[in-house]
């Protein structure tokens, strides 16, 4: 027996004074109503009702217990009201995670806009380039770069990040500007640790495909560090538009091989499967899809 249901049945038996009336109210048989009361008595090891052929009266323990049941059921109802309110009005803490570069440069300004629209929502953003376990680490939503795996996840595609190969004017003055991807083999190519040691840059043009192994004297696990290295003339870097746009626009970095393309990096908005997401989660997902979809 579900104890909360048994409590609710017991309270109504006391209030109505009739098993039959409660059976009709709960769409149960009178036998099942009696079973609910009996289940509570078995659990407590004490009688709650003194039964006669004509009426039921509370025992001393039953008199105390019925009031506690009313308190418990009232608390459950209040909790339900709170949950429904959270689903109806965006409020509370929204905990999310994102890759470092994408989150810091593209996501944070949009989070500010969202919180202006919904001032009762507080956002906790954790930046991390590893793939986190959303359930284990308590995240409601995540931005992920690349392929999304997981049967228990719902992934909404957003606008992909374009990738560029760039270098500083000072570096190109010293080492020359490559005219073909194959020439990058003679340049200091800055590596991103999460790509792995055997990573290659894949350039395409029309039907041509050229793979360039990433070999260089500097690697990092952080896109901002790679950007700073490129700005300081250490080498050639491949990173996403979100990180490079400002430096390219200011002339601090020069895009290389304009006729060649690098594969765009897919971006997904990910949440766990929940048939009834909260209002804050629902509105945040809709907002990001509208702005970045």
């Amino acid at each position: 027996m579900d104890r909360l249901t048994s409590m609710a049945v017991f309270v109504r038996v006391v209030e109505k004074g009739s098993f039959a009336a409660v059976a009709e109210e709960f769409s149960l048989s009178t036998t099942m109503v009696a079973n609910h009361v009996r289940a509570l008595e078995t659990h407590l090891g004490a009688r709650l009702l003194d039964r006669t052929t004509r009426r039921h009266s509370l025992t001393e323990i039953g008199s105390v217990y019925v009031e506690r049941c009313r308190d418990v059921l009232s608390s459950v109802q209040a909790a339900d009201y709170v949950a429904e309110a959270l689903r109806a009005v965006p409020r509370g803490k929204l905990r999310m995670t994102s890759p470092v570069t994408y989150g810091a440069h593209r996501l944070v300004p949009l989070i500010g806009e969202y919180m202006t629209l919904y001032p009762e929502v507080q956002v906790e953003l954790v930046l991390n380039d590893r793939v986190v376990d959303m359930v284990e680490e308590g995240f409601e939503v995540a931005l992920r770069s690349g392929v999304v795996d997981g049967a228990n996840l719902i992934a909404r595609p957003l606008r992909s990040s374009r990738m560029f190969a760039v270098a500083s004017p000072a570096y190109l003055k010293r080492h020359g500007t490559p005219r073909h991807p194959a020439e990058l083999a003679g340049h200091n190519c800055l590596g991103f640790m999460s790509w792995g040691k055997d990573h290659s840059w894949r350039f395409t043009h029309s039907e041509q495909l050229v793979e360039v192994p990433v070999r260089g004297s500097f690697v990092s696990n952080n896109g901002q560090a790679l950007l700073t290295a490129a700005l300081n003339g250490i080498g050639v870097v491949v990173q996403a538009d979100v990180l490079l746009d400002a430096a390219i626009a200011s002339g601090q970095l020069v895009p290389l091989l304009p006729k060649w393309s690098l594969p765009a990096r897919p971006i997904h908005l990910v949440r766990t499967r929940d048939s009834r997401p909260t209002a804050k989660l629902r509105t945040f997902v809709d907002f990001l899809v509208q702005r970045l979809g």
Side-chain angles (χ1 to χ4, degrees):
M1 293 289 182
D2 176 74
R3 197 176 305 167
L4 283 177
T5 302
S6 296
M7 286 181 176
V9 168
F10 171 59
V11 169
R12 294 303 285 156
V13 166
V14 173
E15 292 171 348
K16 284 182 170 290
S18 167
F19 279 29
V22 175
E24 183 178 354
E25 179 180 332
F26 282 80
S27 299
L28 299 172
S29 66
T30 53
T31 300
M32 185 57 70
V33 170
N35 286 343
H36 275 291
V37 175
R38 192 174 297 112
L40 290 177
E41 292 177 327
T42 300
H43 172 72
L44 296 170
R47 291 183 64 79
L48 299 174
L49 293 172
D50 284 326
R51 302 169 179 84
T52 68
T53 56
R54 301 186 62 182
R55 62 188 296 272
H56 311 290
S57 60
L58 285 166
T59 64
E60 182 180 0
I61 292 175
S63 297
V64 176
Y65 189 69
V66 73
E67 294 305 319
R68 294 296 175 263
C69 286
R70 288 190 175 107
D71 291 342
V72 169
L73 295 171
S74 178
S75 296
V76 170
Q77 186 178 47
D80 288 345
Y81 286 153
V82 169
E84 289 301 321
L86 286 173
R87 293 187 185 279
V89 179
R91 62 163 61 96
K93 181 188 290 185
L94 179 67
R95 192 162 189 265
M96 65 177 303
T97 182
S98 167
V100 176
T101 297
Y102 192 91
H105 290 265
R106 181 154 292 169
L107 195 56
V108 169
L110 294 178
I111 289 174
E113 291 183 33
Y114 172 81
M115 290 192 298
T116 299
L117 293 172
Y118 302 102
E120 294 187 63
V121 177
Q122 304 87 46
V123 176
E124 182 179 294
L125 173 64
V126 176
L127 300 179
N128 202 321
D129 285 325
R130 67 180 175 84
V131 177
V132 303
D133 185 318
M134 295 180 64
V135 175
E136 183 72 21
E137 300 184 42
F139 291 108
E140 295 176 80
V141 65
L143 274 291
R144 287 191 178 173
S145 176
V147 178
V148 176
D149 294 320
N152 65 328
L153 300 177
I154 297 174
R156 298 279 294 273
L158 301 179
R159 185 167 60 248
S160 296
S161 290
R162 298 177 61 199
M163 306 294 287
F164 294 97
V166 298
S168 70
Y171 175 88
L172 296 175
K173 185 176 180 179
R174 292 195 307 272
H175 300 281
T177 301
R179 305 299 177 186
H180 189 276
E183 296 178 22
L184 288 173
H187 286 263
N188 192 31
C189 298
L190 309 182
F192 194 40
M193 285 182 181
S194 64
W195 289 340
K197 63 180 181 179
D198 297 321
H199 183 73
S200 295
W201 293 338
R202 302 175 73 249
F203 291 88
T204 58
H205 173 58
S206 299
E207 301 297 322
Q208 301 178 67
L209 169 64
V210 178
E211 296 195 27
V212 180
V214 180
R215 301 287 185 271
S217 59
F218 182 82
V219 296
S220 176
N221 67 339
N222 181 267
Q224 187 66 51
L226 292 172
L227 170 63
T228 302
L231 289 170
N232 283 273
I234 295 177
V236 177
V237 70
V238 165
Q239 279 292 303
D241 51 2
V242 64
L243 184 65
L244 302 177
D245 279 347
I248 291 173
S250 67
Q252 293 176 283
L253 292 175
V254 178
L256 306 177
L257 308 165
K259 294 182 179 180
W260 293 80
S261 299
L262 287 154
R265 192 73 175 163
I267 302 293
H268 291 89
L269 182 63
V270 181
R271 64 180 179 86
T272 56
R273 293 190 180 277
D274 183 348
S275 59
R276 300 182 66 195
T278 60
K280 67 177 185 286
L281 178 57
R282 185 178 64 253
T283 54
F284 186 75
V285 168
D286 291 343
F287 175 81
L288 282 192
V289 169
Q290 182 182 34
R291 297 302 303 274
L292 295 175

